[in-house]
Amino acid sequence: MGAFQNPTAANLLLPALALPAAARPDELAAVFAEIALTSSERDARREHPFDLLTKLRALRFGALRLPESDGGAGASWREVLGALVRLGEADSSVAHIFRNHFFVTERFVTGREPGYNPAWRKVVAAGALIGLATTELDRKQTGGRGDLKTRLTRDGDDYRLDGTKFYSTGTLYADLTLVRATSPEGEDVSLIIPTDREGVERLDDWDGIGQRVTGTGTTNFHSVRVEADELLTDVTSYVQPFASTIAQTIVTAVNAGVLRAVLRDAKALLLSRKRNFYYALAEVPAEDPLLQQTIGRIASEAFIAELGILAVGDALDAVAALRASAPDDPRLPALVHDASLTAAKTKVVVDEFALRSSTALFDVGGASAATLRQNLDRHWRNARTLSSHNPASYKALALGAYELKGTQLPALGFF
């Protein structure tokens, strides 16, 4: 059994990451280090990480959750989220690309669900990446059911797909993408199709201040052929209660990775400084108690953020274990809600930590830290963009209602 490398004392609290069939930890650590070396330049120049994703595909990073019998690693959610924190530390944009992939592949990770095409598991085990195309800006509300303008129409025994999706994170790089649409019968449906199929148009038009190369652009579908077995024919409706807990947790895990990157760069910055203010508490910046305190706070916030993510991983693992062994167990809804609660509480705290620490980074560097050459502002921009996906204010409001009145969290999305 290998252990995923963590150079800090927090390693004592992390599990051994046993990946016998795919994504060996030593190989991942080497690729993560390579990703980190060019992360700042990629952000500054808005260069897409196609070559790095090819290497992660070759290691079958996206197959972490698949069973070993399917060519995956059989990793737990605790292990997967820990790996995503490390990848987020190396480059938050690259880690974010896998958000929708792990969210989608969890739906057929065991291979026992009826109505799922086994070909999807095979291509994921081989290294394929799955994106997501669900958001429509002209809907009356964000999330929830119904009102999808992207539509399927009958074409013999198969279908044709037409519509436009925005914020298609990862789809620019993906081999397959999951699309939500309205069926000919007027129902919400999901389908998975190759991204290189005729009529699929992927635009590189994401202009966010952060997370610049996540491939979060527009995807257009122009009379795209959809075969009948490419629909996800769920026994129950598509939108399961708290189905997006995984997706939201991964965004928070990436922000925890940003915190680790902030700590790394803050330490390097302070140790590289040769002079201090004449009125400072020490002549040598690294010996200044005030600046040491700032490093200590950043380190503490990064530490607690990661522990929160691992706690969510434990909650998701409890859900996965019971769902696999007894999908009709009456305890399952409570476990699912508990996982959502844990994810929401973690998000509220991690977002605050990431934004505060990415600002405190400049306190240890002085004015020279604010140069474009250093590009240290990318950490704040990335943390701010990640946090904006799902405002913490609404999460805290829902958590308060639960604590005071026992009101369950909203179940249809973003929790």
Side-chain angles (χ1 to χ4, degrees), residues 166-186:
F166 300 90
Y167 306 140
S168 310
T169 301
T171 297
L172 182 67
Y173 311 107
D175 307 285
L176 303 165
T177 190
L178 183 145
V179 186
R180 287 188 65 206
T182 300
S183 73
E185 293 74 32

Side-chain angles (χ1 to χ4, degrees), residues 396-411:
L397 173 66
L399 289 168
Y402 171 78
E403 294 292 339
L404 291 171
K405 300 182 291 184
T407 305
Q408 287 227 330
L409 301 180

Side-chain angles (χ1 to χ4, degrees), residues 141-304:
Q141 60 185 14
T142 300
R145 292 190 177 100
D147 196 33
L148 292 169
K149 305 300 188 295
T150 302
R151 305 193 69 84
L152 283 173
T153 54
R154 291 282 181 184
D155 184 19
D157 293 332
D158 297 319
Y159 303 88
R160 291 286 171 174
L161 178 70
D162 290 274
T164 296
K165 299 291 187 178
F166 300 90
Y167 306 140
S168 310
T169 301
T171 297
L172 182 67
Y173 311 107
D175 307 285
L176 303 165
T177 190
L178 183 145
V179 186
R180 287 188 65 206
T182 300
S183 73
E185 293 74 32
E187 299 176 348
D188 287 3
V189 295
S190 299
L191 52 112
I192 296 178
I193 56 174
T195 54
D196 62 355
R197 182 166 290 173
E198 184 179 358
V200 178
E201 180 185 25
R202 294 174 286 175
L203 302 180
D204 180 21
D205 58 356
W206 166 242
D207 62 350
I209 60 170
Q211 298 300 97
R212 290 177 169 175
V213 289
T214 55
T216 306
T218 302
T219 306
N220 294 313
F221 302 97
H222 306 288
S223 190
V224 178
R225 176 177 54 84
V226 177
E227 298 177 6
D229 64 358
E230 292 173 330
L231 269 65
L232 279 75
T233 52
D234 296 328
V235 174
T236 55
S237 81
Y238 166 69
V239 183
Q240 298 297 313
F242 308 107
S244 65
T245 299
I246 290 169
Q248 299 307 323
T249 299
I250 291 174
V251 173
T252 307
V254 177
N255 237 350
V258 171
L259 267 165
R260 288 182 57 84
V262 167
L263 175 60
R264 175 199 67 207
D265 289 353
K267 291 191 296 184
L269 185 63
L270 183 55
L271 290 170
S272 70
R273 287 182 58 186
K274 304 302 182 185
R275 58 180 187 156
N276 207 356
F277 292 99
Y278 72 90
Y279 53 85
L281 299 176
E283 182 177 345
V284 178
E287 296 176 1
D288 189 323
L290 186 63
L291 300 181
Q292 290 177 353
Q293 180 192 48
T294 301
I295 294 292
R297 288 191 63 87
I298 295 173
S300 300
E301 292 181 349
F303 177 75
I304 293 300

Side-chain angles (χ1 to χ4, degrees), residues 4-12 14 86 89 260 263-264 267 306:
F4 199 86
Q5 296 302 308
N6 174 7
T8 73
N11 191 43
L12 298 175
L14 293 174
R86 295 300 181 280
E89 177 186 4
R260 288 182 57 84
L263 175 60
R264 175 199 67 207
K267 291 191 296 184
E306 188 162 7

Side-chain angles (χ1 to χ4, degrees), residues 14-69:
L14 293 174
L17 188 60
L19 307 177
R24 288 181 48 179
D26 56 339
E27 295 173 326
L28 281 179
V31 174
F32 287 3
E34 180 182 353
I35 291 170
L37 283 175
T38 52
S39 175
S40 178
E41 291 80 1
R42 220 169 14 256
D43 172 271
R45 300 170 185 169
R46 201 173 178 275
E47 294 178 349
H48 292 291
F50 287 105
D51 57 333
L52 298 172
L53 288 169
T54 297
K55 294 182 179 183
L56 288 171
R57 279 185 175 92
L59 293 178
R60 293 178 290 155
F61 180 69
L64 284 175
R65 280 286 294 155
L66 288 183
E68 293 181 46
S69 58

